Amino acid sequence: MPRIAPQPGIMDIALYVGGQSRVEGVDDVVKLSSNENPFGPSPAAIEAIAASAAQAHRYPSTDHAELRAAIGAVHGLDPERIICGVGSDEIIHFLNQAYAGPGDEVLHTEHGFSMYKISAKAAGATPVEVPERERVTDVEALIAGVTERTRLVFIANPNNPTGTFIGEQDLRRLAEGLPEDVILVLDGAYAEFAEGYDGGAALVDEFPNVVMTRTFSKLYGLGGLRIGWAYAAREVIDVLNRIRGPFNLSNTQLAAAEAAVRDRAYIANCLRQNATQRARLAQGLADLGIPSDRSDANFILARFTDAAEAEACDLFLQSRGLIVRRVGSYNLPQCLRITVGDEAAVTRVLDAVADFRAERGGAA
Ligand SMILES: *Cc1c(COP(=O)(O)O)cnc(C)c1O
């Protein structure tokens, strides 16, 4: 009978498990478990981080005006309708805290990002899982899943951990099919990797209940610094700003993100390399008899025969210093999620999987 007890729902939260980063007894390790940019941050961002050190005694800007202006200029968006957070995770928390509570439902897709569930429960709301169609977001199922209790619908597009993507027409059908008082959150953590995709920004302009979230953690290689942002109707931004801590982002975070978003040449090169190596990784695995869905992100979801084979391959890769992500907690125990590394890393993965298959009498 504890005297101090947390709010209902909190003890139901399963702790988030991050990608592994070490293997006992192996020195030359490549981490391909957290969808990080293998090339790291832009040199301009690194310089900005270093330069910010001398200003550590100063409180940071509370309105993030310079970073929002930079993001707005690069993406052609109104800076007044942008909010910045400690990773997009913080924005996901703001949305749940502001719009969902006990008795409310928060929809997410079958193999959706686990933060949606965690954050909904933290707000006291009830996460509701909606089936996908062969690992692809199912618009009709989401619309059918809405009840009078639904407050928020979260989808990641491209999705993590599946890598699959739904196009403009599907997104529009989803936005049109949801009640006006339900917020649709388009999590664009991997939006840049889907060629020609605006992350849903045009839909945000059209629908006051659509919110786009973005991050500096993946393509921009700044996951360690924690910077994300969202684009939404003024009314929504105003609500979220009321619960945002005034100094939620440090000088260093702000400076790094601004330099990173302005360095378009660096980003263009990272995107090119990702596209090339992603195709190589997917094709190489397919040649070994390991299929994956078309990925529009910076990772591949490799599908093995069964959970036992996926686990055995994971252990084999670890013994070679290659850390990938098991996705049993996403209900995909027969799969491994492999971040697209640089050319050498992809070669190492393909060689190791080929050896794994050969040792087992090769199905390839
Ligand atoms: C990595 C990721 C994020 C980004 O989280 P940050 O808090 O910005 O680091 C958000 N959504 C999805 C689906 C992700 O995979």
Side-chain angles (χ1 to χ4, degrees), residues 185-199:
V185 182
L186 302 176
D187 178 338
Y190 304 96
E192 297 91 348
F193 297 105
E195 219 183 313
Y197 178 48
D198 70 351

Side-chain angles (χ1 to χ4, degrees), residues 135 302-310 327-328 331-336:
R135 298 170 301 279
R303 299 204 304 278
F304 291 82
T305 314
D306 52 30
E309 193 195 21
V327 280
N331 220 354
L332 293 162
Q334 75 284 21
C335 299
L336 294 176

Side-chain angles (χ1 to χ4, degrees), residues 16 34-35 85-92 112-116 155-161 187-190 213-218 222-224 226-229 299 330 337:
Y16 183 88
S34 297
N35 301 338
V86 180
S88 41
D89 281 359
E90 190 181 38
I91 312 257
I92 294 167
F113 188 43
S114 59
M115 277 310 299
Y116 310 146
I155 70 164
N157 197 42
N159 192 25
N160 173 20
D187 178 338
Y190 304 96
T213 63
R214 303 287 286 263
T215 185
F216 283 91
S217 300
K218 306 289 157 59
L222 289 170
R226 319 299 307 124
I227 314 133
W229 57 279
F299 56 87
Y330 285 94
R337 193 192 69 190

Side-chain angles (χ1 to χ4, degrees), residues 45-96:
I46 294 172
E47 240 175 76
I49 292 167
S52 75
Q55 291 301 310
H57 58 305
R58 301 285 182 209
Y59 269 90
S61 140
T62 62
D63 64 7
H64 312 149
E66 289 171 24
L67 175 56
R68 288 187 297 104
I71 293 170
V74 164
H75 292 276
L77 304 174
D78 176 4
E80 296 297 312
R81 293 166 54 200
I82 292 171
I83 181 171
C84 302
V86 180
S88 41
D89 281 359
E90 190 181 38
I91 312 257
I92 294 167
H93 278 312
F94 292 160
L95 285 162
N96 278 296

